[in-house]
Amino acid sequence: MYRTNTCGELNSSNIQQQVCLCGWVQRIRNLGGMTFIDLRDRYGITQLAFNMNTNAELCEQARKLGREYVIQVKGKVVERFNKNKSIPTGDIEIDVTEINILNASKLPPFTIEDHTDGGDELRMQYRYLDLRRNTVLKNMVFRHQLAIETRNYLNQLDFLEIETPFLIRSTPEGARDFVVPSRLNIGQFYALPQSPQQFKQLLMIAGMDKYFQIVRCFRDEDLRADRQPEFTQIDCEMAFVTQEDVIQLFENLFIHLFKKLKNIELNNFERISYHNAMKRYGSDKPDMRFDMQFVELNHLLQHRDFKIFNEAELIIGICAKGCGSYTRKQIDELTDFVKRPQIGASGLVYVQCLDNNTFKSSVDKFYTQEDLQNLAAAFNATSGDLLLILSGKTEKTRKALGELRLEMGNRLNLRDKEHFKAVWVVDFPMFEWDEETQRFYAKHHPFTSPKPEDVALLDSGDIAKINANAYDLVINGVEVGGGSIRIHDRDLQKKIFRTLGFSESEAQQQFGFLMNAFEYGAPPHGGIAFGFDRMCAVFNGIDSIRDFIAFPKNNLGRDVMINAPYQISNEQLKELSIQINYSEKDE
Amino acid sequence: MYRTNTCGELNSSNIQQQVCLCGWVQRIRNLGGMTFIDLRDRYGITQLAFNMNTNAELCEQARKLGREYVIQVKGKVVERFNKNKSIPTGDIEIDVTEINILNASKLPPFTIEDHTDGGDELRMQYRYLDLRRNTVLKNMVFRHQLAIETRNYLNQLDFLEIETPFLIRSTPEGARDFVVPSRLNIGQFYALPQSPQQFKQLLMIAGMDKYFQIVRCFRDEDLRADRQPEFTQIDCEMAFVTQEDVIQLFENLFIHLFKKLKNIELNNFERISYHNAMKRYGSDKPDMRFDMQFVELNHLLQHRDFKIFNEAELIIGICAKGCGSYTRKQIDELTDFVKRPQIGASGLVYVQCLDNNTFKSSVDKFYTQEDLQNLAAAFNATSGDLLLILSGKTEKTRKALGELRLEMGNRLNLRDKEHFKAVWVVDFPMFEWDEETQRFYAKHHPFTSPKPEDVALLDSGDIAKINANAYDLVINGVEVGGGSIRIHDRDLQKKIFRTLGFSESEAQQQFGFLMNAFEYGAPPHGGIAFGFDRMCAVFNGIDSIRDFIAFPKNNLGRDVMINAPYQISNEQLKELSIQINYSEKDE
């Protein structure tokens, strides 16, 4: 036993006890007669005291320690003269009688403090030091707690956690797979799962009834800021359930998790259709912490002299409460914001609602004060408000105004990180048209069940109108999970594959085992999957999932700490019967 | 809601209730006036009753159902005439008023019964049907429970479950890695982890103090009967601990798990050194459910006229109680057993202890009755016992007699599957000489700490004598886990790499990030990892880990259900900048 106690547990009830502590030197304060060391471990900080008058040799020894040295100290718990009420151990300190250096430390490349001087790249390279910082540590603790609470909650509801394989088979539908060459089967590859989708469906066919798994998944995509090539999901599936059953059960899970981990009552889940989410918020993951719904304005603003509006497919606006006094500069900022290439609006029309029912707008020459008054009425705007209006093609304009809405939410502090608002987005369209490849894709995935009342549309050909029994859970504008009721009928599944452009033999070759399984008593089933990394971030009001991953990869998919990926030996390549085509990419 | 209850919960307290059940048709019994169906789900079986006299149409409908049809039934819970006391629902049946066929089923390729008529390959191909069998289902439930109990136990001791990456870097030490070509980094590969060894050590350096993870690991080995290319381990690490701390804590984990999941008190853990395990049982994973220790006989049997014994490095034997009356045929069987190539003994000497201190042996012409009496005394043998003796090179002879000991244990029913005996094997040698490559390898792995008192031997060169702070947990002759105290000192780690034949630059290139981390305050630490699949099997007295894996691979590393691995497309190969060398392997 290296220690009797951790650095987080001693308090005034331990005074006079002989103890032995281990930890890292956080800080040394040399006050002449006294030297104090903050000794840190995962559990907290305990102050060590050394007195030059009573033990000069030991005090000298203490002064020579460096930051992040690992030491073991023995001594007596004593009452502290200057108590520190901000930490649990603040009433006591250790009157040290012995120091053992367990390991020295070079000066760390950045400070191990909540607000460190280390840049991103440096902290990732020395992630093992970054993880010592309290802010990162507490994220890891939170992640652990979220997992164990989720597991116990689902276990108590008779869910079984069943592990599905990682070495599976590549399927062309969906994102790009990571593949693993098979040494024993030349020219063949395993794929790493993008999700256990087909296995969880097979588990339902196997009669497992309620399945979950907290499981790593993999996608070889070009990485964006907040994507990782490997990520974790809470994957769930149930047999004999309707969409309503799934939604209710997992709503209760989230209520439980928020209560247990954040002491927050998250009871006010809303429901909104995909159609309405797009229409009112310009997003299928609306941030509903604040209202600021879109108002459609074609009937009010078209058929005047303003050509841009007359030619627009859609004119929509939002009302920013209390922003009527925005300066020219502030309005220019908003115009610049919507004109950024990612958003792509060509301009922004504004109307300032002034006192006494007067208005100032960027389109004053096309509209009378009365027109603008009618307009303001459509928003229920009052004096002091600012109306922001975009126009153009429907989908693009909605998305652009959705971004502007979020920006105004930020400016107006309507997106409080301590406030949580959950919404189920339902009634997703089954298929999505892709302009580039000129074909329909499954909006969720090809195993999603169309709504029974829409199945007939598969034959009539109007497939864009088919809605799916699919649902997303959105919290504070972040999609934390999504799922669907699945197809359990072989013929319907074949029809969906056909609609997606698979030939009979392609479908059979790639999904044959699932389609065959449908012939042996597949129960109705459905499920959901939650992005676990993202859940951790959302619960803590943090944007980056990377803060909740112990060893994340950078935007190029590299682990800069271990320097992976890396070359492998020629022997390894030969054993795998593969070789590298260095030229191929240059063509 | 498809159902009001499961098929496992209704009993006499529910009589007269209207219920709705869903499940699979297990069996249909047509008794003329009455038809009975056993409806099965994960939770149990409930009997459905149909009366030809009261509802002929429904009864006809029931008779037309097939095995494994998925149905929903509505009806009333009624008392059963012939109660079945062997199942919880045996007091009641459902007087059915409505049947809905949720999905039909083709006739399954094998019977869904505890004792099925399906062969291994067929059951693996239709694993989703195999999993419906109660014997396989209960293995999955057990696995789930073992995981959740382990997690909660470790959580309550302040362990954090921290997820480590799956896309890491290949290291040549140890078994062969599975690798994953990187699309974004041409010519570079990730490797899938054989264990999170280095990451868990980094987590200790990061101050996480107590880490665990139930995690998938990967090894690209030529598969033996009971190996899988992907397997799960309970991976654990602690800082500021001695070997004794680790052993105590995980001994308590196993005591808890056996009590909770099997209601068995597993309190009698023994300890044995590697040296004594080999000397007494010829194995570093001795089955200690029975004694039958080796007796060394050189001093008794050498220096007579028996050349084979005179030339042997070691003569050892075991005493098989009560086998003195074995027939010639039985003894021949044992001789054949030890002469099998896997065991490789050249012969077996036996001595039968008869009545009145007389002996019959295969070496009667070399030894007097008095010699044999002395021999029997060395074994504490009494009349009716059988002595079995092997001789030859020390290591090989011990291993062969170890196998014979297990065989005799089986024959004498000393290896009761319901009886559990755990032993810690300690004091492993640090290095192991490999004849083939003529070098030393780390017996555990190169991060294992030598015993402090043996470190000096690294310089003196007698490295075969160095023992490690390493330990294995063995239950009923199966190694369920192993671990060690790790090196936390950079210089010692460098010395170990040098001893293993790594050049400075090789060590730095492959393990540099860990060695660098040692310079920033690495605490003393150690840990252990348990084979989770194997634990499941051992707890249930079953030999095959495959029975506890939902979707296992066969001996060629194939998943015959999904037919993986499989070819990938030329586009995929091109994107990854690799090509296949079909010829290479033929050379």
Side-chain angles (χ1 to χ4, degrees):
Chain A
M1 291 290 268
Y2 274 84
R3 59 187 172 190
T4 57
N5 296 85
T6 70
C7 296
E9 62 183 329
L10 295 173
N11 55 44
S12 51
S13 73
N14 304 98
I15 284 170
Q16 291 300 319
Q17 283 180 15
Q18 289 293 331
V19 296
C20 179
L21 300 183
C22 292
W24 285 261
V25 173
Q26 174 76 22
R27 200 175 292 116
I28 304 180
R29 274 159 301 150
N30 181 355
L31 306 181
M34 292 296 290
T35 292
F36 296 102
I37 291 182
D38 283 349
L39 188 68
R40 186 198 71 232
D41 67 12
R42 185 185 118 197
Y43 311 94
I45 281 181
T46 297
Q47 177 164 298
L48 311 178
F50 301 86
N51 191 328
M52 201 65 189
N53 297 323
T54 57
N55 192 337
E57 195 186 343
L58 192 69
C59 197
E60 285 296 347
Q61 205 188 331
R63 287 176 184 182
K64 282 188 196 133
L65 297 172
R67 279 205 282 131
E68 300 305 316
Y69 270 51
V70 187
I71 60 173
Q72 179 190 49
V73 295
K74 293 174 184 167
K76 195 165 67 178
V77 182
V78 295
E79 191 173 357
R80 203 150 141 180
F81 186 71
N82 285 315
K83 297 197 172 47
N84 178 350
K85 290 293 170 200
S86 66
I87 58 172
T89 62
D91 284 353
I92 59 95
E93 63 190 15
I94 310 297
D95 181 12
V96 177
T97 52
E98 184 184 333
I99 304 178
N100 296 309
I101 298 178
L102 299 176
N103 220 338
S105 175
K106 294 208 294 195
L107 192 68
F110 50 84
T111 55
I112 312 293
E113 304 277 356
D114 285 6
H115 297 282
T116 180
D117 56 356
D120 246 24
E121 188 79 358
L122 196 64
R123 289 191 295 107
M124 286 303 140
Q125 194 185 335
Y126 294 90
R127 182 64 165 174
Y128 47 87
L129 298 180
D130 196 35
L131 286 166
R132 286 185 193 165
R133 300 191 307 119
N134 196 47
T135 45
V136 191
L137 165 64
K138 76 179 191 338
N139 290 349
M140 295 302 122
V141 175
F142 181 86
R143 185 180 177 110
H144 162 74
Q145 288 168 337
L146 188 62
I148 206 141
E149 281 299 331
T150 301
R151 283 192 161 99
N152 284 328
Y153 186 86
L154 293 176
N155 174 57
Q156 153 246 317
L157 292 178
D158 281 333
F159 279 77
L160 296 176
E161 184 161 26
I162 299 177
E163 295 179 58
T164 52
F166 279 72
L167 297 173
I168 65 166
R169 187 169 150 176
S170 191
T171 54
E173 196 68 353
R176 201 184 287 107
D177 285 322
F178 282 106
V179 297
V180 180
S182 165
R183 179 176 55 88
L184 299 172
N185 307 272
I186 299 178
Q188 300 191 354
F189 293 75
Y190 301 100
L192 300 178
Q194 296 183 29
S195 92
Q197 181 62 36
Q198 292 169 58
F199 288 98
K200 69 176 173 176
Q201 293 193 240
L202 289 169
L203 287 171
M204 291 304 102
I205 297 171
M208 294 297 156
D209 205 68
K210 292 175 177 173
Y211 144 92
F212 84 102
Q213 193 181 186
I214 301 185
V215 62
R216 201 71 54 84
C217 300
F218 305 85
R219 268 179 217 178
D220 185 12
E221 289 181 287
D222 295 322
L223 301 167
R224 295 191 309 226
D226 203 24
R227 283 268 178 89
Q228 289 279 315
E230 48 178 314
F231 54 97
T232 301
Q233 75 185 30
I234 306 176
D235 193 50
C236 307
E237 197 78 6
M238 302 162 77
F240 305 115
V241 288
T242 62
Q243 171 169 315
E244 192 56 34
D245 298 329
V246 178
I247 286 181
Q248 282 296 343
L249 191 145
F250 289 97
E251 192 165 308
N252 288 335
L253 169 66
F254 272 75
I255 289 170
H256 170 79
L257 293 174
F258 267 92
K259 181 67 195 166
K260 191 86 187 218
L261 297 172
K262 307 281 295 181
N263 198 24
I264 286 173
E265 311 280 349
L266 188 74
N267 291 316
N268 47 352
F269 283 65
E270 292 194 30
R271 302 266 179 101
I272 190 171
S273 70
Y274 172 83
H275 177 76
N276 282 338
M278 296 308 293
K279 189 178 159 80
R280 295 178 194 160
Y281 303 101
S283 170
D284 60 359
K285 38 181 201 277
D287 184 345
M288 294 177 67
R289 279 174 294 187
F290 65 110
D291 195 32
M292 211 186 280
Q293 289 190 31
F294 296 0
V295 177
E296 302 198 345
L297 305 166
N298 290 37
H299 63 293
L300 287 173
L301 297 177
Q302 284 186 327
H303 313 301
R304 301 298 170 93
D305 291 341
F306 190 36
K307 198 173 157 220
I308 290 176
F309 280 176
N310 286 339
E311 287 172 355
E313 192 172 274
L314 182 70
I315 312 168
I316 43 177
I318 51 175
C319 173
K321 283 277 163 203
C323 298
S325 56
Y326 260 32
T327 62
R328 183 75 228 172
K329 179 157 169 290
Q330 285 174 302
I331 287 173
D332 284 348
E333 279 170 14
L334 297 182
T335 308
D336 291 346
F337 177 86
V338 297
K339 286 168 110 173
R340 292 187 310 170
Q342 312 92 295
I343 298 184
S346 51
L348 173 68
V349 169
Y350 70 87
V351 179
Q352 289 170 302
C353 304
L354 308 175
D355 287 342
N356 306 321
N357 261 332
T358 60
F359 302 89
K360 178 166 177 290
S361 86
S362 54
V363 287
D364 277 350
K365 63 177 163 176
F366 302 114
Y367 299 95
T368 65
Q369 286 287 309
E370 196 192 336
D371 290 335
L372 297 177
Q373 193 172 341
N374 288 335
L375 186 71
F379 287 94
N380 286 320
T382 54
S383 92
D385 291 351
L386 175 67
L387 310 181
L388 298 167
I389 298 167
L390 296 177
S391 65
K393 287 287 222 182
T394 300
E395 199 180 333
K396 192 173 167 190
T397 305
R398 283 178 171 161
K399 283 192 177 158
L401 192 62
E403 295 293 336
L404 183 60
R405 174 178 175 273
L406 294 178
E407 170 66 16
M408 294 314 297
N410 288 337
R411 286 172 177 249
L412 292 168
N413 291 320
L414 300 173
R415 305 178 73 191
D416 177 3
K417 286 182 189 314
E418 300 300 311
H419 178 65
F420 295 90
K421 192 82 187 67
V423 57
W424 289 99
V425 182
V426 296
D427 299 345
F428 278 84
M430 180 85 186
F431 301 102
E432 196 170 37
W433 180 255
D434 182 60
E435 276 298 329
E436 200 180 324
T437 52
Q438 289 284 307
R439 58 164 274 208
F440 278 102
Y441 283 88
K443 179 135 182 113
H444 270 68
H445 52 60
F447 313 108
T448 301
S449 175
K451 287 195 178 285
E453 60 270 29
D454 292 350
V455 168
L457 293 170
L458 275 172
D459 294 319
S460 75
D462 204 356
I463 69 168
K465 285 201 182 130
I466 300 175
N467 278 341
N469 268 328
Y471 32 85
D472 278 358
L473 178 60
V474 173
I475 298 179
N476 291 2
V478 177
E479 181 201 325
V480 294
S484 64
I485 298 301
R486 327 298 182 185
I487 297 165
H488 65 280
D489 178 82
R490 181 185 161 99
D491 291 333
L492 180 56
Q493 186 68 70
K494 278 170 88 167
K495 204 175 263 184
I496 298 292
F497 282 131
R498 205 180 308 138
T499 305
L500 289 168
F502 286 81
S503 73
E504 187 105 355
S505 72
E506 281 169 346
Q508 185 60 34
Q509 199 228 329
Q510 287 165 28
F511 304 105
F513 60 97
L514 185 59
M515 306 245 275
N516 292 343
F518 284 157
E519 298 200 296
Y520 291 99
H525 60 289
I528 196 163
F530 299 96
F532 187 64
D533 312 287
R534 190 158 310 285
M535 268 174 71
C536 291
V538 167
F539 271 68
N540 290 285
I542 287 175
D543 289 333
S544 164
I545 62 170
R546 215 173 284 186
D547 293 354
F548 291 85
I549 297 173
F551 300 102
K553 299 201 167 43
N554 73 10
N555 284 350
L556 295 171
R558 290 202 76 82
D559 182 327
V560 296
M561 180 185 71
I562 63 170
N563 196 16
Y566 201 75
Q567 290 84 9
I568 58 174
S569 70
N570 286 331
E571 290 71 36
Q572 281 176 291
L573 288 173
K574 195 166 172 181
E575 274 197 314
L576 295 171
S577 306
I578 58 176
Q579 66 185 48
I580 320 259
N581 264 345
Y582 282 100
S583 59
E584 197 85 39
K585 276 275 167 94
D586 304 332
E587 285 169 25
Chain B
M1 293 289 268
Y2 274 84
R3 59 187 170 189
T4 57
N5 295 85
T6 69
C7 296
E9 61 183 329
L10 296 173
N11 55 44
S12 51
S13 74
N14 304 99
I15 285 170
Q16 291 300 318
Q17 284 179 14
Q18 289 293 333
V19 297
C20 180
L21 300 183
C22 292
W24 285 261
V25 172
Q26 175 76 21
R27 200 176 291 114
I28 304 180
R29 275 160 301 149
N30 182 355
L31 306 180
M34 292 295 291
T35 292
F36 296 103
I37 292 181
D38 283 349
L39 189 68
R40 186 198 72 232
D41 67 13
R42 185 186 117 198
Y43 311 94
I45 282 182
T46 297
Q47 177 164 298
L48 312 179
F50 302 86
N51 191 328
M52 202 64 191
N53 297 323
T54 57
N55 194 338
E57 194 186 343
L58 193 69
C59 198
E60 286 296 347
Q61 206 187 332
R63 287 176 185 183
K64 282 189 197 132
L65 296 172
R67 278 205 283 132
E68 300 306 316
Y69 270 52
V70 187
I71 60 172
Q72 179 190 50
V73 295
K74 293 175 184 165
K76 195 166 66 181
V77 183
V78 296
E79 191 172 359
R80 205 150 139 180
F81 186 70
N82 285 315
K83 298 198 171 47
N84 178 350
K85 289 294 171 200
S86 65
I87 57 172
T89 62
D91 284 354
I92 58 95
E93 63 190 15
I94 310 298
D95 181 11
V96 177
T97 53
E98 185 183 333
I99 305 177
N100 296 309
I101 297 178
L102 299 175
N103 220 339
S105 174
K106 294 208 295 195
L107 192 68
F110 50 84
T111 54
I112 312 294
E113 304 278 355
D114 286 7
H115 297 281
T116 180
D117 56 355
D120 247 24
E121 187 79 357
L122 196 64
R123 289 191 295 110
M124 287 303 139
Q125 193 186 335
Y126 294 90
R127 181 64 165 174
Y128 47 88
L129 297 180
D130 196 34
L131 286 166
R132 286 185 193 165
R133 299 194 306 121
N134 196 47
T135 45
V136 190
L137 165 64
K138 77 181 192 333
N139 290 349
M140 296 301 121
V141 175
F142 182 86
R143 185 181 177 111
H144 162 73
Q145 288 169 337
L146 188 63
I148 206 140
E149 281 299 331
T150 301
R151 283 192 161 101
N152 284 328
Y153 187 86
L154 294 175
N155 174 57
Q156 152 245 317
L157 292 177
D158 281 333
F159 279 78
L160 296 177
E161 184 161 27
I162 299 176
E163 295 180 58
T164 52
F166 279 71
L167 297 172
I168 65 166
R169 185 170 150 177
S170 191
T171 53
E173 196 69 352
R176 198 185 288 108
D177 285 323
F178 281 107
V179 297
V180 181
S182 165
R183 180 177 55 88
L184 299 171
N185 307 272
I186 300 178
Q188 299 190 354
F189 293 76
Y190 301 99
L192 300 178
Q194 295 182 30
S195 91
Q197 181 61 36
Q198 292 169 56
F199 288 97
K200 70 176 173 176
Q201 292 193 240
L202 289 169
L203 287 172
M204 291 304 102
I205 297 171
M208 293 297 155
D209 205 67
K210 291 175 179 174
Y211 144 91
F212 84 101
Q213 194 182 184
I214 301 185
V215 62
R216 200 72 52 86
C217 300
F218 305 86
R219 270 180 215 178
D220 185 11
E221 289 181 287
D222 294 323
L223 300 168
R224 296 191 308 225
D226 203 24
R227 282 270 179 86
Q228 288 279 315
E230 47 178 316
F231 54 96
T232 301
Q233 75 185 31
I234 305 176
D235 194 51
C236 307
E237 198 79 5
M238 302 162 76
F240 304 116
V241 287
T242 61
Q243 171 170 316
E244 192 57 32
D245 298 330
V246 178
I247 285 180
Q248 283 296 344
L249 191 144
F250 289 97
E251 193 165 307
N252 288 335
L253 169 65
F254 272 75
I255 289 169
H256 170 79
L257 293 174
F258 266 92
K259 181 68 193 164
K260 191 87 186 219
L261 297 172
K262 306 282 294 182
N263 198 26
I264 286 173
E265 310 282 346
L266 188 75
N267 290 316
N268 47 351
F269 283 66
E270 292 193 30
R271 302 267 180 103
I272 190 171
S273 70
Y274 173 82
H275 177 76
N276 282 338
M278 295 308 293
K279 189 178 158 82
R280 295 178 194 160
Y281 303 100
S283 170
D284 60 358
K285 38 181 200 277
D287 185 344
M288 294 177 66
R289 280 174 293 187
F290 64 110
D291 195 33
M292 211 187 278
Q293 290 190 30
F294 296 0
V295 177
E296 302 198 343
L297 306 166
N298 290 39
H299 63 294
L300 287 174
L301 297 177
Q302 284 186 327
H303 313 301
R304 300 300 170 92
D305 290 341
F306 190 36
K307 196 173 157 219
I308 290 176
F309 278 177
N310 286 341
E311 287 173 354
E313 193 173 274
L314 182 69
I315 311 168
I316 42 178
I318 51 175
C319 173
K321 284 277 166 205
C323 298
S325 56
Y326 260 34
T327 61
R328 182 76 228 169
K329 179 158 170 286
Q330 285 174 304
I331 287 175
D332 285 348
E333 279 170 15
L334 297 181
T335 307
D336 291 345
F337 177 86
V338 297
K339 285 169 112 173
R340 293 188 310 171
Q342 312 92 294
I343 298 185
S346 50
L348 174 67
V349 167
Y350 69 89
V351 179
Q352 288 170 303
C353 305
L354 309 175
D355 287 343
N356 305 319
N357 261 332
T358 60
F359 303 89
K360 178 166 178 289
S361 86
S362 54
V363 287
D364 276 351
K365 62 176 164 179
F366 303 114
Y367 300 95
T368 65
Q369 287 287 306
E370 195 191 339
D371 290 336
L372 297 177
Q373 192 173 341
N374 288 335
L375 186 71
F379 286 95
N380 286 320
T382 53
S383 94
D385 292 351
L386 175 68
L387 310 181
L388 298 166
I389 298 168
L390 295 177
S391 65
K393 287 288 224 180
T394 299
E395 200 180 330
K396 194 174 166 187
T397 305
R398 282 177 172 162
K399 283 193 176 158
L401 192 62
E403 294 293 337
L404 183 60
R405 175 178 173 273
L406 295 178
E407 171 66 17
M408 294 315 296
N410 288 337
R411 286 173 177 247
L412 292 167
N413 291 318
L414 300 173
R415 305 179 73 190
D416 176 3
K417 286 182 189 313
E418 298 300 311
H419 179 64
F420 294 92
K421 192 80 187 69
V423 58
W424 289 99
V425 181
V426 297
D427 299 345
F428 277 84
M430 179 84 186
F431 300 102
E432 195 169 37
W433 179 255
D434 182 59
E435 276 299 328
E436 199 182 326
T437 53
Q438 289 283 307
R439 57 164 275 207
F440 278 102
Y441 283 88
K443 179 136 182 111
H444 270 68
H445 52 60
F447 312 108
T448 301
S449 176
K451 287 194 179 287
E453 60 271 28
D454 292 350
V455 168
L457 293 170
L458 274 172
D459 294 319
S460 75
D462 203 356
I463 68 168
K465 284 201 183 130
I466 300 175
N467 278 341
N469 268 327
Y471 32 86
D472 279 358
L473 179 59
V474 173
I475 298 179
N476 290 2
V478 178
E479 181 201 324
V480 294
S484 64
I485 298 301
R486 326 299 182 185
I487 296 165
H488 64 281
D489 178 80
R490 180 185 163 97
D491 292 333
L492 180 56
Q493 186 68 71
K494 279 170 90 167
K495 204 174 263 186
I496 297 292
F497 281 132
R498 206 179 308 137
T499 305
L500 289 169
F502 286 82
S503 75
E504 188 104 355
S505 71
E506 281 168 345
Q508 185 59 35
Q509 199 228 326
Q510 287 165 29
F511 304 106
F513 61 96
L514 185 59
M515 307 245 277
N516 292 343
F518 284 157
E519 297 201 298
Y520 291 99
H525 61 289
I528 195 163
F530 300 96
F532 187 64
D533 312 288
R534 190 159 310 285
M535 268 174 71
C536 291
V538 166
F539 272 67
N540 291 285
I542 287 175
D543 289 333
S544 164
I545 62 171
R546 215 173 284 187
D547 293 355
F548 291 86
I549 296 173
F551 299 103
K553 300 203 168 41
N554 73 10
N555 284 351
L556 295 170
R558 288 202 78 81
D559 181 327
V560 296
M561 180 185 70
I562 64 170
N563 196 14
Y566 201 74
Q567 289 86 10
I568 59 174
S569 70
N570 286 330
E571 290 70 38
Q572 280 176 292
L573 288 173
K574 193 166 173 180
E575 275 197 314
L576 294 171
S577 306
I578 58 176
Q579 65 186 49
I580 320 261
N581 265 345
Y582 282 99
S583 58
E584 198 86 39
K585 276 275 167 95
D586 304 331
E587 284 170 23

